[in-house]
Each structure stands twice: as structure tokens, then as C-alpha cells.
Amino acid sequence: MDSQSELATAEQEKLAIKTTLVAMWDAIENDDVDRYASYVHPGFTQFGETDSILRVGKEVEVKGVAEWVKNSTGIHTKMDEPLITIKGDVAWITYYWRDKGVTNGESFTSRGKSTRIFVKENGKWLCIHGHYTLL
């Protein structure tokens, strides 16, 4: 494979990772927890915005998202300044986010910075870790 083909493939993989993350947010925005879960690796871990401990497991993540969307409307997240690095079948994306919506009748907005780690299994990028910090 020549360097131009390798560059094109790398850009396609970066786009696939970014598209996966946007699809995860779209699933949340559309109350489609099953679709959201399809992007989450079984070994998922997370340092959430306000978590004092590491949250471990896909089931914990999916249950938390299901609870949130059940009590929320109008959720929408935007990504700014994504930077994606790929090393074999592992990749990470760093970005800033802005989101808004209504949870339990209360409007919310937040801004923050995040790192998400993805692994490629069976040709599909799955999110295996998220770390979120409010700004």
C-alpha cells in the first residue's frame, strides 16, 4: 500500500471513530438505548463529569444512560475541536463538548472536555472508556 492510500485509510478510520461517537449521541437524543448500547464495549469504564469513583461495565453505563433519557427531553450534544489518534486497533478522540436539554423538568447546559478510547473489534469501533471534565 502506498503512502497516499495509507493516509486515505487513516482518514477513513478517523471519520469512522468520529461518526461512531456522533451516532452514540444521536441514539441518546432519540431515546434509543439499545442502539447506544451497540457502540459500547463490554469492558467499558468511565470517569464521569461528577463521578468520584471509576464506573465499570457496559451494564452500568447503559443503565445510567437509560435512566437519564427516561427523565429527559431535548438532549443535544455538539463536538468541538476533535483530535483523533489511531494506534492499530486502539484509538482515542479528545474534544470539547457543549450540550443542552431538560432533565426532571429542569433545563441544563454544560461544557466540558473529554477523552474517549475506542477499540476495533470485528471491523467495528466500540467505545471502551470515557473521561469527562466539566469546564
Side-chain angles (χ1 to χ4, degrees):
M1 186 181 291
D2 65 21
S3 62
Q4 197 167 14
S5 295
E6 289 174 2
L7 184 59
T9 299
E11 290 305 311
Q12 289 172 340
E13 290 297 320
K14 287 180 180 182
L15 180 59
I17 292 160
K18 183 178 176 186
T19 300
T20 298
L21 182 52
V22 170
M24 291 170 75
W25 291 337
D26 182 71
I28 288 171
E29 292 169 10
N30 289 287
D31 194 14
D32 190 345
V33 176
D34 289 338
R35 182 162 58 101
Y36 177 80
S38 75
Y39 301 114
V40 178
H41 189 276
F44 184 82
T45 58
Q46 168 179 269
F47 283 118
E49 301 157 10
T50 59
D51 292 341
S52 59
I53 60 169
L54 179 67
R55 294 175 45 149
V56 178
K58 177 178 181 171
E59 299 79 17
V60 172
E61 169 65 3
V62 172
K63 183 179 177 184
V65 166
E67 233 4 77
W68 181 41
V69 299
K70 180 177 78 172
N71 298 308
S72 302
T73 59
I75 299 169
H76 185 68
T77 304
K78 291 189 178 241
M79 180 187 325
D80 296 315
E81 302 179 48
L83 179 61
I84 303 165
T85 303
I86 301 171
K87 299 291 182 187
D89 289 338
V90 176
W92 54 95
I93 179 172
T94 58
Y95 58 93
Y96 296 92
W97 87 80
R98 294 175 284 134
D99 66 2
K100 64 180 181 176
V102 177
T103 298
N104 296 321
E106 297 284 326
S107 293
F108 72 86
T109 60
S110 71
R111 292 182 335 111
K113 56 188 178 179
S114 180
T115 301
R116 297 237 190 180
I117 300 172
F118 287 81
V119 293
K120 191 170 191 180
E121 292 186 356
N122 301 315
K124 182 177 177 181
W125 288 104
L126 298 173
C127 189
I128 195 164
H129 180 74
H131 192 141
Y132 324 108
T133 304
L134 289 171
L135 291 175

